[in-house]
Amino acid sequence: MRAIWRNLCQYSRNFWQHWVSFIILFVGMDLANQLIFIPLFRLTTTYVLQAGGIPFISYQNIGILITQHTLVVIGLLIELILLLLVIYWQFAFLLLGLRLILGGQISFKRLLKESWLAIQNIRPGSFPLLLLYFMLVLPFVDLVFRTPLLSKVQIPEFILDFMTRNSVLLTILIIFYIIITILGIRLILTLPLMIYRQYRTRQALRESWKLTSKLKWWQYIKQLIVLGLITVIILALFYLLIYGLQSLVDLFPGKLAFMAAIFNLTLVQVVSELLTIWTGMIALQIVIGLVDDFPASKGRLRRVGWLGWSTLGVMVVVLGGLAIANNYYYLKGTGMTRPVTISHRGVAEKNGVQNTIPAMEKTHRLKPTYVEMDVHETKDHKFVVLHDENLKKLTGVDKTPHELTLTQLTKLTARENGHQAKIASLDQYLNAAEKLHQKLLIEVKTTPQDSKGMLKRFNQQYGKRIIKDHDLVHSLDYRAVAGLKQLNPKLKVLYIQPYNFSYPKSIADGYSMEYSTLNFEFIRQAQRQKNDVYSWTVNDPRVMKQMMYDHVNGIITDNLGGLNSAIADFMNSKSYANRILNFILVVPNAGGLEP
């Protein structure tokens, strides 16, 4: 333990000797990602898809993309290669910058030159290996250095949620994560070896495996754990101090409390960002110390020139101004609107069987703006309220909706969460909702067995009724979205997206987006086009508040009571201290400057 503490102290001294250079390096790269790379790649993806007449990428159109849109696929593959190169260049820029700073030899021109040379050493045949490598080590790299570009690459939460509901899939998921963890730890030194020693990809992979053999990796894992604990403790104590001070100032009358809140919230962001950079720099030294003999303890103290101080000054003025402006509007509550609340599949806190009338009647008492429910076509071309494509899970009958008539389906009893209820037809469900004056968000489920005129019949039977009741429709199938809008332009139809790859551009009236890949930029772009964005399925109060902070229009949840409480807490915080606490608990990587 003493050795770990001694190493951490030395690494920390290295940081404070060159703190200006490290801040410029880290913040500069973060700004480059936020202002250049992420928008550029999103715009490129959007343009490539639009050029091919494709609004979005989803699991339903992958086959069509490959077979009918070869140029689009080629364009996306080229973009993927460029993305890999940018990620590799960023790590080269960061690692080489670290070594140059600690060696007292940093210059922007030299750093650009050396990082460009690192790019030139990559062979075209290495791209598949690099892609696999980034997928393996991403969770561990994220602990050492979190970049907004890499944070966009993640497994959507709905996939994880689906796999954790089945014991077999959960076992597979656990085994998968164990394997990924082992491979990620053993191969984490690959990039440093490629950048510092100019190893080829295969050679670097083999050497990383060798260097981390026989539990040698444990020596840096222990240091990272201690570093993480220190960071958490420092942040927790600092946040408690700020919260306590603001609570005291809130007792004073006049504008003093508001001005103090702006200062304290800005201080929270600055200190959090500085601590993030400090932690990241130390973590990098811990890991890279196994690979390169950079002067971690011998760095010469070099005076920061006028260019360095000027750059830091510009960053402070620009970022500080943005932070203060954002904090002013946040603390005032300007632009914060209550999101619409949507009960996922018509249940709340497991109060009934999904997509059944008794559950919807119970959920209505919690006053959701919309009750979300699902519709399938039946064998006799009618419509039943049901989510799954097979009835076995809820009813024990191993049949699909297309194998049974509506009469047969509505005789079945569904069981879930200790409750039971009859399966309902769409007409029965609409009648019950109309009696309660409950608005609905109707998901149109599509399958390959659907009849040719399914959408036309749905619109003919229910289109006017849905509009009259102020209900909404959404679907995972973009063809259904486009078809319904063509049949009935007055019908408000949203497109459900499980992934967020590009900017919004479609015929849809809005979007239901899986929350883990949803971001403020997508929401802002959609709202500029007068389209609403609903996030799904959000059951964690902290994520609910994050969605509200990002100005999402609505939240779809299984936890409607928790959502109502989270909204009340977020929107009606009486004190500035509680608003600051909300910010700390809500915003990822507290201290970020996202609006």
Side-chain angles (χ1 to χ4, degrees):
M1 189 65 188
R2 288 183 179 178
I4 292 175
W5 182 255
R6 186 167 54 251
N7 287 339
L8 292 179
C9 288
Q10 181 57 58
Y11 295 147
S12 183
R13 282 193 292 270
N14 291 338
F15 171 80
W16 291 113
Q17 283 183 335
H18 310 279
W19 66 274
V20 174
S21 298
F22 281 121
I23 290 174
I24 293 173
L25 180 68
F26 276 72
V27 175
M29 185 172 294
D30 187 47
L31 287 174
N33 278 315
Q34 296 281 14
L35 302 178
I36 300 174
F37 294 116
I38 292 175
L40 183 60
F41 278 111
R42 286 195 179 278
L43 283 171
T44 302
T45 302
T46 303
Y47 175 78
V48 170
L49 293 177
Q50 287 180 0
I54 302 165
F56 295 100
I57 300 175
S58 74
Y59 69 93
Q60 293 178 322
N61 67 0
I62 291 295
I64 297 175
L65 274 175
I66 295 173
T67 57
Q68 300 180 19
H69 297 275
T70 307
L71 292 178
V72 172
V73 173
I74 292 173
L76 293 175
L77 288 175
I78 293 173
E79 186 182 357
L80 176 61
I81 292 172
L82 292 174
L83 177 62
L84 286 175
L85 286 174
V86 169
I87 292 174
Y88 183 83
W89 173 79
Q90 287 192 351
F91 277 104
F93 193 86
L94 179 69
L95 296 176
L96 291 169
L98 173 67
R99 184 165 64 175
L100 290 174
I101 290 172
L102 292 175
Q105 302 171 342
I106 185 66
S107 77
F108 184 69
K109 183 177 180 180
R110 179 175 177 179
L111 183 54
L112 281 178
K113 181 180 179 181
E114 292 192 10
S115 58
W116 175 246
L117 290 174
I119 289 287
Q120 292 179 316
N121 287 331
I122 300 178
R123 293 178 177 178
S126 299
F127 286 118
L129 279 176
L130 277 177
L131 177 61
L132 178 62
Y133 170 74
F134 283 126
M135 292 172 63
L136 288 174
V137 304
L138 187 58
F140 307 96
V141 171
D142 197 49
L143 294 174
V144 176
F145 171 62
R146 183 169 182 82
T147 164
L149 190 61
L150 288 177
S151 68
K152 307 302 177 186
V153 185
Q154 55 184 303
I155 300 175
E157 290 293 334
F158 78 95
I159 295 179
L160 297 178
D161 179 64
F162 172 76
M163 296 191 73
T164 55
R165 295 184 181 184
N166 180 286
S167 58
V168 175
L169 293 177
L170 178 59
T171 302
I172 293 173
L173 183 64
I174 292 172
I175 294 172
F176 170 77
Y177 271 112
I178 291 173
I179 294 173
I180 290 295
T181 300
I182 294 172
L183 292 176
I185 291 173
R186 297 294 303 275
L187 299 177
I188 198 169
L189 301 177
T190 302
L191 269 184
L193 287 166
M194 293 177 66
I195 293 166
Y196 284 153
R197 299 186 186 178
Q198 290 78 50
Y199 282 7
R200 298 298 183 188
T201 307
R202 293 179 186 275
Q203 182 185 8
L205 288 168
R206 288 194 296 266
E207 185 66 15
S208 178
W209 192 267
K210 179 181 176 181
L211 288 172
T212 56
S213 63
K214 298 179 181 179
L215 294 181
K216 290 181 180 179
W217 51 269
W218 184 239
Q219 59 182 299
Y220 69 82
I221 292 295
K222 287 190 295 185
Q223 294 183 70
L224 289 174
I225 291 173
V226 174
L227 175 64
L229 290 173
I230 292 172
T231 303
V232 169
I233 292 171
I234 292 174
L235 274 178
L237 292 175
F238 174 69
Y239 292 155
L240 284 173
L241 176 63
I242 292 295
Y243 180 77
L245 289 174
Q246 186 62 48
S247 297
L248 290 174
V249 178
D250 283 345
L251 299 175
F252 290 89
K255 296 183 178 179
L256 177 62
F258 178 63
M259 300 303 295
I262 293 176
F263 175 81
N264 284 331
L265 184 52
T266 305
L267 188 62
V268 163
Q269 294 170 303
V270 170
V271 172
S272 299
E273 184 70 19
L274 187 61
L275 191 61
T276 299
I277 296 172
W278 175 81
T279 304
M281 198 283 297
I282 292 177
L284 283 173
Q285 289 187 83
I286 291 171
V287 175
I288 299 167
L290 298 172
V291 172
D292 190 75
D293 295 329
F294 59 81
S297 60
K298 301 177 182 178
R300 300 193 306 272
L301 184 60
R302 181 180 178 182
R303 294 177 62 86
V304 179
W306 68 269
L307 183 59
W309 283 111
S310 299
T311 303
L312 182 63
V314 171
M315 287 183 175
V316 169
V317 171
V318 174
L319 298 180
L322 288 173
I324 292 172
N326 286 336
N327 295 342
Y328 175 88
Y329 286 109
Y330 169 72
L331 292 167
K332 274 286 188 183
T334 306
M336 293 291 176
T337 56
R338 180 185 177 88
V340 300
T341 58
I342 306 167
S343 169
H344 186 227
R345 302 187 192 177
V347 295
E349 292 80 44
K350 299 182 179 180
N351 63 351
V353 183
Q354 59 175 285
N355 283 308
T356 61
I357 293 173
M360 185 259 287
E361 290 173 339
K362 291 179 183 177
T363 300
H364 173 73
R365 298 169 191 165
L366 295 173
K367 300 181 180 179
T369 313
Y370 295 97
V371 163
E372 193 262 357
M373 36 80 76
D374 307 277
V375 174
H376 273 283
E377 186 186 35
T378 66
K379 182 179 180 179
D380 51 349
H381 306 316
K382 297 180 181 179
F383 296 93
V384 65
V385 181
L386 190 70
H387 176 273
D388 297 346
E389 292 185 22
N390 190 289
L391 294 151
K392 186 173 183 179
K393 182 179 177 181
L394 290 177
T395 68
V397 178
D398 191 11
K399 296 285 186 179
T400 68
H402 279 284
E403 294 177 301
L404 299 174
T405 65
L406 183 63
T407 300
Q408 291 172 320
L409 285 162
T410 53
K411 289 180 180 179
L412 296 176
T413 299
R415 294 175 174 83
E416 187 180 42
N417 301 323
H419 303 275
Q420 65 179 38
K422 289 292 185 180
I423 289 178
S425 68
L426 180 54
D427 286 286
Q428 291 171 332
Y429 204 94
L430 288 174
N431 290 337
E434 287 171 347
K435 288 180 181 179
L436 297 170
H437 302 287
Q438 175 62 63
K439 292 189 290 186
L440 301 177
L441 174 58
I442 304 167
E443 179 176 349
V444 176
K445 293 286 188 181
T446 61
T447 71
Q449 289 74 42
D450 289 336
S451 63
K452 187 176 181 181
M454 186 268 282
L455 291 178
K456 186 176 182 180
R457 276 193 300 277
F458 176 84
N459 177 62
Q460 286 176 340
Q461 294 178 38
Y462 304 107
K464 292 182 179 178
R465 189 175 183 180
I466 290 171
I467 295 171
K468 180 182 178 182
D469 293 339
H470 303 287
D471 295 336
L472 307 176
V473 177
H474 67 170
S475 180
L476 264 168
D477 190 341
Y478 187 75
R479 292 167 298 181
V481 174
L484 286 171
K485 288 301 296 181
Q486 185 176 11
L487 289 166
N488 191 345
K490 294 182 180 180
L491 198 66
K492 191 169 183 180
V493 187
L494 288 73
Y495 178 45
I496 304 173
Q497 284 189 257
Y499 309 100
N500 176 19
F501 289 116
S502 58
Y503 291 124
K505 186 71 175 179
S506 75
I507 197 174
D509 297 301
Y511 305 92
S512 297
M513 175 75 73
E514 203 279 331
Y515 77 86
S516 62
T517 58
L518 180 60
N519 56 41
F520 173 77
E521 187 59 30
F522 184 96
I523 296 170
R524 181 171 63 178
Q525 292 278 353
Q527 290 173 347
R528 283 178 176 174
Q529 299 170 26
K530 308 300 182 182
N531 293 328
D532 290 342
V533 179
Y534 301 152
S535 59
W536 60 271
T537 302
V538 188
N539 297 321
D540 183 344
R542 180 182 178 278
V543 181
M544 293 171 182
K545 292 179 181 180
Q546 173 63 54
M547 294 295 102
M548 286 182 270
Y549 183 78
D550 285 339
H551 300 281
V552 75
N553 298 97
I555 296 175
I556 303 172
T557 183
D558 300 306
N559 182 15
L560 190 59
L563 176 58
N564 289 335
S565 298
I567 292 174
D569 181 47
F570 190 79
M571 302 295 295
N572 303 319
S573 295
K574 299 298 182 182
S575 68
Y576 293 120
N578 285 337
R579 286 189 178 272
I580 292 175
L581 183 62
N582 263 332
F583 182 90
I584 292 170
L585 296 177
V586 166
V587 181
N589 300 319
L593 297 174
E594 286 190 40

